[in-house]
Every structure is written in C-alpha cells, then in structure tokens.
Amino acid sequence: MRADHTPKGVGIVWGLLVLNTLGSAGAKTIVPLPRSLIQMVTMGALAVAFALALVLNARLRIRPSAFVLLLTLLLVTSVLSSAHLESGFGALFRCARLALFVGTLWLLTRWWDGGTTFVRHHIRMYFAVLGSVAAGLVISPGAALPDLYGGRLVGALWPLTPPQIGQYAAVITGLTVLLVLGRRTDRRSAAVIIVPSLVLLALTHTRTATVGLLAGLALAIGSLLLTSAAARRFFTWAVVCAVVAAVVFSSALEAWFLRGQSQENFSNLTGRAKVWDALLAAPRSTTERLFGVGLGDKSFGGLPIDNSWLAVYQEQGLTGVVLVAAVLLVLGAVALLRPPSLSRACAIFLISYCAIASYTEAGLGDASPYLLHLAVAASLLVAPAPAAAEPLPTPEGPRRRVQRRAQRSEVI
C-alpha cells in the first residue's frame, strides 16, 4: 500500500497524544491546577485524538506493524491482570486509556512511510511543551526552581518534574542534531531548538536524560559514519570537545552529576535500589508472577518504582516483561537490518534512549512518552512502498534546482 500524503490533522492527533502523556502529578504550579482538572484535560485529549484519527482514517486503512501488534498483546495482558481488581477500578480505567492510545497508533500507521514526518511532529510538540517550561521560569523563577526539588527545574505552568523536562529536551535535541547532519533542516532553525533545550536540560540536572542523549547520539551518528561526511566531522569535533571538557571542567561536571548527593546515596540510585529490593522480595502467587497485579500508578509501597522493567513485572508480570523486551528487540533488529540512512539513525537514537532510560524511569508498559518515542522509531523503520514507474527525468532549469534544494532543507 502506498502511503498517502499526510494530512495536517495527523500533526494535531500527535500533539493530543503528547498532551495525554504529560501526566497529572508533579511540581506545584504558579496557578494551582486541581489534579482532577488536569486528568480531565489529558484524558479528553486522548479521546479527541482517537476520534480525529478515526475521522482522518475513516476507511480504517492500516499498515502491518509488529510494534503496535506487540502493544496490543500487552494491552490484552494488562486487561487480564487488571480484571481481578487487585489495583482497584483505576486499573480498568488505565486499561481503557491504553486501549485508546494503541487504537490511535493503529489508525496512524496508515501514514507511516519511513520518512521524517513524525520526527518533525515530535520535535514541534515537545518544543512547545518546553516553551511552557521556559515561560514559567521567566514568570516565576522561584516556582520553577523550588527548594523541594533541590533547585532543579520543574514546570511552573504545568506540573512537570525534572526528569520529564530532561527527557523531552534530550530527545528533541538528539533528533534535531540528526536532522542537521542529514541536511533535512538548516542550522539556524536547528539552533533555535537545540540551544534552549540544552539550557533547560542543564537546569534539570537529569543524569538519565544526559547519558541517554550522549549514548543515543553516539550510536546514531556511528551508524552514519560510513556514508556521511558531515557525521564524521561532527563525531570528530564532539570527541575533541568531550575530551577538552573532561579535562578543563572535570570538577564542575562531577559536581553537576552528583547534584550534592553523597556517594552512598548516589550508589543506591537516590533510594531507588531499596524500593527495587523490596518489590522483588515481596511474596507473589503464580498468577501474579505471570500477569502482575494490574495497571497502577507505577509505585510500590507508596514509593515510585522508577524502573520500567520492574514496573512492568509488578503490573503485567513476566508476560509483560517478555512483550516489552520483544518490542525493543524487534525494533532494534529491524534498525540494524536497514541500510544506513537518516531515518535509521533517528530510530537508533530513539530506541537506545528508551532502553537506557528504562533502567531509572518507568513507562514502557503503559501509555507514556516512551511509547511515543518508540512509535516514531517504528514509523521510521517502515519500508516505503514501491513507487509506480515514472518517466525519465527531464533537464531541470535553475529555478527548479533551487526549489529541490529548498525541499531537502526544511524548517523544523
């Protein structure tokens, strides 16, 4: 099936999905927002996204996708585990949310064609979110850098935590860098995205996002080294700058990385290891081991789990863990089998970032930004449908050549 021209409404659907996954828990905002109101907005956004996607794809034309199929199986597992109501009726509500989320992705597969359309939607939407964070910082620096979070940047207009902001900044920075290397955008437009995003990332002091950005870019750019001179130049300069920074600013980088924590607190991952040990030591029945206790709020004993694999094990059991591992393995295998290209590099960046972040962040087993990142990767790895035979090209005039160069360097 040949991919249709992507309508503008698809970008609106993607923006609504992003809004739905922002969450409702976080820092105190300048204007107090009731959690019930935030949940109403986010869930309403998902319902509207599904309805609009259904209107845009009224004939229900979808593309085969192993990624969305695995998410569908994960949804079935979630329903089975939640049906016992060990996590309360909220589990069934979360299952309904996941069903709408997966259904919307199925409807959007019609426009997955291996191009960078969804990469651009992703960058624009999350940059808009970061714009609200920057606006909150300007309006009320005290609320945006509260002592409760150790002076780390939070969302003062919408309740966003430092890890969330760091994640969004890191992902769109990496994708924009790759678009520049692939000559799909100009440097001025890229700088407008990259510079403020890196500033916000630094203010969040988020180690996971920083490591994910650096490692993901290293793997993505490494996949382009043999075919892109720009990637080789960037990689060389990046290595030189990294060595210089490590030598000249070693003490400042160490202080930023430790965030004032003791070595003991740092070694147990800011208390996460204690929650993980308690979760693994908790007694479970055979059914709970296989299917979990149902979708919850990704916490154990009132404390956040902050690990995707353990959160999935708690809520969807070993079956869920196998399905989530299959998602990453399938996407990774397909990316490795594709020939070098910008789409492949962007997919490698997103897959590796999510894999790295899964160790200290939850989200791979439920509707979340991480599943949106992986959905973009899946859209990039779709093999384009063979085009119909076209007539031989005719000589181009100067104006036509200029137009073609402009199309290759789009503004984000």
Side-chain angles (χ1 to χ4, degrees):
M1 180 178 64
R2 187 179 176 84
D4 299 339
H5 174 70
T6 306
K8 293 182 179 179
V10 170
I12 298 175
V13 172
W14 200 257
L16 292 170
L17 289 178
V18 168
L19 176 58
N20 172 255
T21 57
L22 292 182
S24 58
K28 293 182 179 180
T29 54
I30 299 173
V31 178
L33 299 174
R35 187 172 182 181
S36 58
L37 174 62
I38 298 175
Q39 290 176 332
M40 187 183 303
V41 171
T42 55
M43 281 305 301
L46 179 57
V48 174
F50 179 77
L52 180 56
L54 197 57
V55 170
L56 293 172
N57 192 1
R59 295 184 179 181
L60 302 182
R61 296 169 61 188
I62 61 175
R63 297 194 63 147
S65 171
F67 167 72
V68 189
L69 176 60
L70 289 170
L71 289 188
T72 305
L73 295 177
L74 186 64
L75 169 62
V76 173
T77 302
S78 301
V79 173
L80 292 175
S81 63
S82 301
H84 298 289
L85 299 180
E86 289 188 41
S87 299
F89 286 99
L92 295 179
F93 178 80
R94 294 183 180 93
C95 286
R97 175 182 178 234
L98 181 59
L100 284 177
F101 183 87
V102 174
T104 305
L105 291 182
W106 271 121
L107 293 171
L108 292 179
T109 57
R110 172 179 179 177
W111 296 284
W112 290 6
D113 59 0
T116 58
T117 299
F118 284 88
V119 171
R120 296 181 185 279
H121 290 323
H122 213 54
I123 293 174
R124 289 167 185 156
M125 300 311 168
Y126 279 117
F127 187 67
V129 174
L130 293 181
S132 73
V133 175
L137 178 62
V138 172
I139 295 171
S140 179
L145 300 168
D147 294 334
L148 180 63
Y149 284 87
R152 300 169 65 191
L153 180 65
V154 300
L157 298 181
W158 186 277
L160 297 174
T161 62
Q164 284 180 282
I165 299 171
Q167 175 197 162
Y168 307 153
V171 167
I172 68 173
T173 296
L175 291 176
T176 305
V177 168
L178 293 173
L179 288 183
V180 172
L181 295 180
R183 297 181 180 179
R184 297 298 177 86
T185 190
D186 59 88
R187 296 181 181 180
R188 182 176 300 177
S189 299
V192 171
I193 301 289
I194 294 173
V195 174
S197 297
L198 288 178
V199 171
L200 296 181
L201 173 60
L203 291 175
T204 64
H205 288 258
T206 306
R207 295 178 292 228
T208 299
T210 304
V211 172
L213 170 63
L214 297 177
L217 272 182
L219 293 173
I221 295 174
S223 71
L224 293 172
L225 289 180
L226 297 179
T227 58
S228 171
R232 289 192 292 271
R233 288 194 299 270
F234 182 88
F235 188 81
T236 302
W237 279 107
V239 171
V240 171
C241 292
V243 172
V244 172
V247 173
V248 178
F249 305 106
S250 58
S251 58
L253 291 174
E254 182 180 2
W256 182 89
F257 201 76
L258 289 176
R259 297 196 312 235
Q261 297 175 340
S262 65
Q263 290 291 343
E264 180 182 358
N265 198 23
F266 176 73
S267 62
N268 65 26
L269 298 171
T270 322
R272 289 185 176 95
K274 296 179 181 179
V275 180
W276 299 348
D277 292 340
L279 186 151
L280 291 173
R284 299 173 188 276
S285 65
T286 302
T287 301
E288 288 174 344
R289 275 198 197 89
L290 290 176
F291 298 105
V293 299
L295 291 184
D297 59 358
K298 313 297 178 285
S299 67
F300 181 80
L303 297 173
I305 297 174
D306 286 339
N307 179 291
S308 282
W309 303 101
L310 292 180
V312 171
Y313 175 63
Q314 168 71 8
E315 298 182 355
Q316 292 132 315
L318 292 174
T319 305
V321 171
V322 170
L323 289 173
V324 170
V327 167
L328 292 176
L329 290 175
V330 167
L331 289 177
V334 173
L336 292 177
L337 293 174
R338 289 283 185 268
S341 66
L342 174 62
S343 294
R344 176 184 184 239
C346 290
I348 289 174
F349 169 75
L350 291 169
I351 297 166
S352 57
Y353 181 91
C354 291
I356 293 169
S358 68
Y359 185 63
T360 57
E361 297 290 338
L364 287 181
D366 203 350
S368 69
Y370 291 106
L371 289 190
L372 285 183
H373 302 333
L374 293 178
V376 174
S379 75
L380 291 163
L381 295 175
V382 170
E390 298 179 357
L392 294 175
T394 56
E396 297 178 317
R399 179 177 298 180
R400 179 59 179 161
R401 286 196 294 269
V402 170
Q403 290 175 345
R404 287 177 63 85
R405 283 196 295 270
Q407 290 173 352
R408 287 196 296 265
S409 182
E410 301 176 45
V411 176
I412 293 175

